[in-house]
Amino acid sequence: MNDFEDFSDEENELVEEKRLTFIEHLEELRKRIINCLIGFLIATVISFFYSDRLIDILFAPCKNSIKVTYYGSILTPFNIRLKVSSGAGIIIASPYILYQLWMFIEPALKRNEKKVVRILFSFAILCFLVGVAIAYFWIIPIGVPILLQYATPIMQPLIGIEEYISFVIIILVAMGIVFETPLILIGLSKIGLVTSAQLSRNRRYAILLAAILACIITPGSELWTSIFLIIPLYLLFEISVWLIAIIEKR
């Protein structure tokens, strides 16, 4: 009987320890989320004071295709500045947000996993900025005129500034996220979770996943906006398979 009671006590202590550990993880997660929000809000407030310049920068890629934009609500100018500031806030605060994410997951990683993830985090910002730059200097300046060419002579463009800014921000942020794909797959390969052979065999699922991610990143957007993301996302998948195969050979 005493042995049974001792066993029950040990079991209860183990359950209590797990419960406390789970609560500690939730508390740590709450702390990191609050820190991310604070960093984002500070970056957004600072960006708001420069929102007029940011709007000019976002309009620059299409200044030859779109001469004038319109707004139809009294609140639209303020909403546009707030939206632009929020987008800039995400980009500016992204290093700090990634740091908070690293501080949360770092204790749960093994030594070899920490080394891989640390390298991935180092290149994450660079990959994000490369994706944003390609969207800004290539995809938007080329894609917008092509889309406008589908208008017939009886169609006159009346482009709203809010619609245009939303389109540009979605493309910029989405392309930044898309360019993280090779980094994630290479990291999974280094840890040993995927191989180039596995990825090659599942190309059809990669296309499906690219379509799903494009719809998630651009909810409620036009079909062509999603297609603009599906194509580079799948191309990055193929590049990732090629890079992983090279790494495996070495």
Side-chain angles (χ1 to χ4, degrees):
M1 185 68 177
N2 291 334
D3 293 339
F4 179 75
E5 290 178 354
D6 292 340
F7 177 76
S8 298
D9 291 339
E10 291 178 1
E11 188 178 46
N12 291 334
E13 290 177 2
L14 182 60
V15 171
E16 181 68 16
E17 183 179 348
K18 289 183 178 180
R19 187 181 70 84
L20 292 175
T21 302
F22 179 71
I23 293 175
E24 290 172 358
H25 284 314
L26 288 180
E27 181 65 24
E28 180 69 14
L29 178 61
R30 185 184 70 86
K31 175 184 174 182
R32 298 302 173 186
I33 292 175
I34 291 174
N35 289 343
C36 290
L37 291 175
I38 291 173
F40 166 71
L41 289 175
I42 293 174
T44 299
V45 171
I46 294 174
S47 300
F48 188 84
F49 293 102
Y50 300 94
S51 56
D52 54 340
R53 298 181 184 178
L54 293 173
I55 292 173
D56 292 338
I57 292 173
L58 292 176
F59 192 74
C62 299
K63 62 182 179 180
N64 294 328
S65 304
I66 303 174
K67 302 300 181 182
V68 181
T69 56
Y70 299 87
Y71 65 91
S73 172
I74 296 174
L75 294 175
T76 298
F78 176 79
N79 291 337
I80 291 298
R81 286 177 177 261
L82 187 61
K83 185 176 293 187
V84 170
S85 303
S86 300
I90 293 175
I91 295 175
I92 295 173
S94 55
Y96 181 72
I97 293 173
L98 285 175
Y99 171 76
Q100 293 297 323
L101 178 60
W102 165 252
M103 293 300 293
F104 178 72
I105 68 173
E106 188 264 346
L109 298 177
K110 299 177 181 179
R111 181 177 299 179
N112 62 324
E113 294 173 342
K114 288 181 181 179
K115 183 178 179 180
V116 173
V117 175
R118 191 179 295 116
I119 296 173
L120 294 180
F121 270 78
S122 301
F123 285 97
I125 296 297
L126 178 61
C127 291
F128 183 86
L129 295 178
V130 168
V132 170
I134 289 177
Y136 183 83
F137 291 105
W138 182 56
I139 292 180
I140 294 175
I142 295 176
V144 170
I146 291 175
L147 292 176
L148 293 177
Q149 287 177 1
Y150 285 94
T152 65
I154 64 172
M155 296 181 186
Q156 293 298 322
L158 188 64
I159 299 174
I161 181 63
E162 191 167 10
E163 179 186 16
Y164 171 80
I165 292 296
S166 298
F167 172 80
V168 172
I169 291 177
I170 286 174
I171 294 297
L172 293 178
V173 175
M175 285 301 297
I177 296 174
V178 163
F179 267 72
E180 304 290 343
T181 303
L183 207 61
I184 295 172
L185 291 178
I186 291 173
L188 294 175
S189 171
K190 294 291 288 183
I191 294 174
L193 295 179
V194 298
T195 64
S196 59
Q198 290 175 338
L199 295 175
S200 299
R201 289 195 302 267
N202 294 281
R203 279 188 169 89
R204 60 185 183 277
Y205 298 112
I207 297 174
L208 177 61
L209 183 59
I212 294 174
L213 288 176
C215 294
I216 293 174
I217 295 173
T218 59
S221 299
E222 298 291 338
L223 174 63
W224 285 105
T225 304
S226 298
I227 292 176
F228 278 155
L229 295 179
I230 293 172
I231 294 174
L233 189 57
Y234 181 72
L235 290 177
L236 286 172
F237 170 80
E238 292 293 342
I239 293 173
S240 303
V241 175
W242 175 66
L243 291 175
I244 291 173
I246 293 176
I247 293 172
E248 290 173 345
K249 290 179 180 179
R250 292 181 178 179

